[in-house]
Amino acid sequence: MTIPWTTDAALARAAALGPQRVAIVLGDDGTSMTYGELDERATRLANALAAHGVGHGERVAIFMENGLDYLVAYHGVGRAGAIFVPIVTQSKLPEVEYFVGHSEPVVLIADVERWALIADAVASGAPDFASLREIWLAGDEPPRTGVRFNDILSSAATTSVPNRPLPEQAVAFMYTSGSTGRPKAVIHSHYTAIAQAEAVCNRMGYSADDRLMTVFPLFHGNALVWSALAAVWCGAQVIIHRRFSASGFWTSAQRHGATEVNLLLGAINMLLAQPHQDDDADNPIRLVLANVTEPIHAAFTERFNVDVVSTWALAEGPLGTMTAPGHGYRAGEIGWPMGSDNEVRVVDENDAPVADGLPGELVQRNRAMMLGYYKNEAETERVLRGGWVHSGDLGYRDEHGLFYFVGRVKNIVRRAGENVSSEEVEECLQNHPAVEEAAVIAVPDDMRGEEVKAYLVLCPGNTLSAEAAVAWCAERLADFKIPRYVEFFDELPRTGPLKIDRPALAARENPTSCWDRTRNTTTE
């Protein structure tokens, strides 16, 4: 059989091989959809988009929480040859305005809760929403404005979709926060998506009998591609949840027969903090994909009788590396290159390869690399210089070809799986009239990996409390970007006349000596 190198063809193959097999289960309430149903609804959406004049390469934005309709939208948009633009569900209005204004979608599919956030701005003719021609609302409630998504699907044709997409065509914009301010739209092709799904299935050993569970939001490539699309690739079942619950996690895994799950360090720590049960090791999950420390790896695998596999990847180069089931773990291990044509190197500041054992920047080259950043040629050229994806991550390779992660070059905070751009948070804070300068750094955190800390210098004669600074951010940034820690300085340390000395800030970091949002008090 010809390899289906588009999301469209992969779903068609899965539906042909097992139309009655369950494709998706919503772990929260058990509602489900078969591959035959998913394939039909994707076809209906593709035909509906075509009937509304949506052509190849036009964007369709999705702003909703995890649910069956989310994956219908993903596959339907891909089948239509349009580009899927997932919007972070926690986004505040200014962030949604940026995502929509930047990507210029012609259709927005939203759930009622998130539509309420932006309805007034859309109705008032805000310029960032000017590209929208259609607004379709998911859910069973009759919408006050727009059209109900289910009505669009039920009235659409089920006939074969003409002009199907090709592997090299764009399928999605995956917004990622890096070290240079506002989120960038990483352009993924159909081949990029399918190459990931195939590589993950091959390395993890998935089959049609597996049930892949995810607690990540579907606007993340981890959930959307490494779980949901990987399940399509091998004809397995994906179990999606709207949010993570430590107390209900194992009950849900047992109820739905989950065999694999992707987790973050914070979630694993929360599971380890749950009261011990005699049957902790008696669960259906055999594989966990997560990056953890060596002691936590040992504690989690022993208590829950699971095999933990570690990985390294980024939106710009999503194949990356991965260990393998049965390999075990040593500190820092991130595995071997994934995919059939993936080259990974460690290079110095001049992009020259370094010897095994020496640290340098991790770079990769393969056909599944991003096509580029949308509307950002300069950053595209910088990150893809020489034909390699430059990650901004530090690592090394040992004499056996195994790669290790050391740290990051780029200025981001990795909080609970989310990339938070320090510059984006700094810009938000510096827009406050009382703030003269802001610096944001990552602070180690046992539950979330890293937390956001802001250092503020106030304008002469101005006052501002930490609470007020955080409230300012809360009105403009998604919750995961809001600083947990705030500390005030008379001036920030510098390495020269302009550049803030971030290593110096990190070296003096002491969370107990500053304002902490979780305690809402200042300690000495």
Side-chain angles (χ1 to χ4, degrees):
M1 179 180 291
T2 303
I3 295 178
W5 289 116
T6 64
T7 60
D8 163 41
L11 176 58
R13 181 184 69 170
L17 292 175
Q20 299 306 315
R21 291 183 65 88
V22 174
I24 316 164
V25 173
L26 183 58
D28 305 76
D29 60 17
T31 56
S32 64
M33 185 177 292
T34 66
Y35 273 107
E37 292 167 337
L38 177 59
D39 186 64
E40 179 188 322
R41 289 175 73 83
T43 294
R44 285 181 179 273
L45 177 55
N47 282 324
L49 290 168
H52 284 81
V54 179
H56 279 216
E58 291 194 285
R59 276 76 63 201
V60 177
I62 312 299
F63 191 31
M64 65 173 78
E65 68 177 356
N66 286 8
L68 305 185
D69 281 343
Y70 204 110
L71 294 178
V72 169
Y74 176 66
H75 286 287
V77 171
R79 180 161 287 176
I83 299 174
F84 185 83
V85 183
I87 296 176
V88 177
T89 53
Q90 305 101 307
S91 296
K92 303 296 172 61
L93 178 58
E95 294 169 306
V96 180
E97 289 175 331
Y98 168 74
F99 289 129
V100 174
H102 181 260
S103 62
E104 299 176 298
V106 295
V107 175
L108 171 68
I109 305 174
D111 57 33
V112 173
E113 178 182 349
R114 279 147 198 87
W115 169 244
L117 175 69
I118 62 175
D120 289 343
V122 175
S124 67
D128 286 316
F129 297 103
S131 64
L132 293 175
R133 304 198 300 256
E134 298 285 337
I135 297 167
W136 300 339
L137 301 182
D140 296 326
E141 299 178 23
R144 298 179 195 172
T145 58
V147 180
R148 194 164 67 170
F149 183 56
N150 283 337
D151 292 341
I152 291 291
L153 295 181
S154 61
S155 62
T158 59
T159 53
S160 179
V161 177
N163 197 19
R164 308 290 266 264
L166 300 173
E168 61 270 19
Q169 287 181 234
V171 68
F173 287 176
M174 305 302 291
Y175 276 91
T176 180
S177 293
S179 59
T180 53
R182 303 301 292 271
K184 296 184 289 292
V186 177
I187 307 173
H188 281 186
S189 69
H190 280 266
Y191 183 88
T192 303
I194 294 299
Q196 292 176 73
E198 180 201 35
V200 169
C201 288
N202 288 345
R203 184 64 57 89
M204 296 289 279
Y206 297 153
S207 73
D209 295 327
D210 275 300
R211 297 183 178 185
L212 315 182
M213 187 163 79
T214 182
V215 294
F216 290 125
L218 286 164
F219 62 76
H220 263 303
N222 188 303
L224 187 63
V225 180
W226 285 34
S227 292
L229 189 58
V232 170
W233 176 262
C234 62
Q237 181 183 128
V238 65
I239 305 158
I240 58 177
H241 289 76
R242 292 201 169 103
R243 57 194 56 85
F244 172 74
S245 166
S247 61
F249 177 84
W250 294 110
T251 299
S252 181
Q254 290 279 9
R255 180 187 306 122
H256 301 297
T259 59
E260 187 276 343
V261 66
N262 299 354
L263 292 173
L264 293 173
L265 174 61
I268 285 180
N269 280 329
M270 284 188 271
L271 291 173
L272 286 171
Q274 293 294 302
H276 281 256
Q277 304 293 331
D278 292 340
D279 61 351
D280 276 343
D282 183 19
N283 69 81
I285 293 178
R286 72 176 194 280
L287 292 173
V288 176
L289 186 62
N291 291 330
V292 296
T293 63
E294 198 165 4
I296 290 176
H297 184 280
F300 196 75
T301 54
E302 180 179 355
R303 177 174 170 183
F304 296 109
N305 190 31
V306 295
D307 193 349
V308 178
V309 177
S310 59
T311 187
W312 166 81
L314 60 157
E316 294 85 346
L319 284 185
T321 63
M322 187 182 288
T323 59
H327 170 71
Y329 181 75
R330 288 186 297 172
E333 283 184 345
I334 52 175
W336 301 270
M338 289 203 300
S340 59
D341 70 338
N342 186 17
E343 299 176 73
V344 179
R345 287 182 180 175
V346 182
V347 300
D348 62 19
E349 62 274 13
N350 298 314
D351 287 343
V354 303
D356 286 346
L358 296 179
E361 184 179 8
L362 293 164
V363 300
Q364 59 173 292
R365 178 172 65 183
N366 52 71
R367 187 183 165 194
M369 300 186 310
M370 71 168 179
L371 299 179
Y373 294 119
Y374 185 59
K375 295 182 181 177
N376 199 333
E377 292 184 9
E379 273 298 288
T380 297
E381 291 176 3
R382 184 188 69 81
V383 172
L384 297 183
R385 64 186 182 274
W388 294 78
V389 175
H390 289 71
S391 68
D393 292 333
L394 294 174
Y396 68 92
R397 187 181 67 178
D398 68 16
E399 66 275 18
H400 305 295
L402 185 65
F403 285 86
Y404 295 77
F405 179 81
V406 174
R408 277 193 291 272
V409 177
K410 54 192 180 183
N411 186 28
I412 63 171
V413 182
R414 184 70 171 169
R415 184 187 186 276
E418 302 284 359
N419 282 345
V420 179
S421 165
S422 293
E423 290 190 9
E424 183 183 8
V425 182
E426 289 167 359
E427 180 183 352
C428 176
L429 287 163
Q430 286 168 176
N431 284 334
H432 192 288
V435 176
E436 180 177 282
E437 192 171 28
V440 171
I441 68 167
V443 176
D445 183 81
D446 289 339
M447 298 304 292
R448 295 176 177 84
E450 292 178 340
E451 269 289 4
V452 181
K453 178 169 183 179
Y455 293 89
L456 301 180
V457 176
L458 300 184
C459 297
N462 283 261
T463 59
L464 180 71
S465 67
E467 291 90 340
V470 165
W472 173 270
C473 291
E475 294 175 357
R476 294 161 175 83
L477 298 174
D479 290 346
F480 64 83
K481 300 176 185 177
I482 300 170
R484 172 177 171 179
Y485 302 109
V486 178
E487 188 168 353
F488 293 92
F489 273 21
D490 291 330
E491 61 180 3
L492 296 174
R494 300 186 183 280
T495 58
L498 297 176
K499 190 173 182 181
I500 296 172
D501 189 350
R502 297 178 191 277
L505 290 174
R508 70 173 304 282
E509 168 54 35
N510 179 5
T512 63
S513 67
C514 66
W515 185 87
D516 179 348
R517 181 158 56 103
T518 64
R519 298 196 306 265
N520 200 32
T521 185
T522 303
T523 58
E524 299 298 328

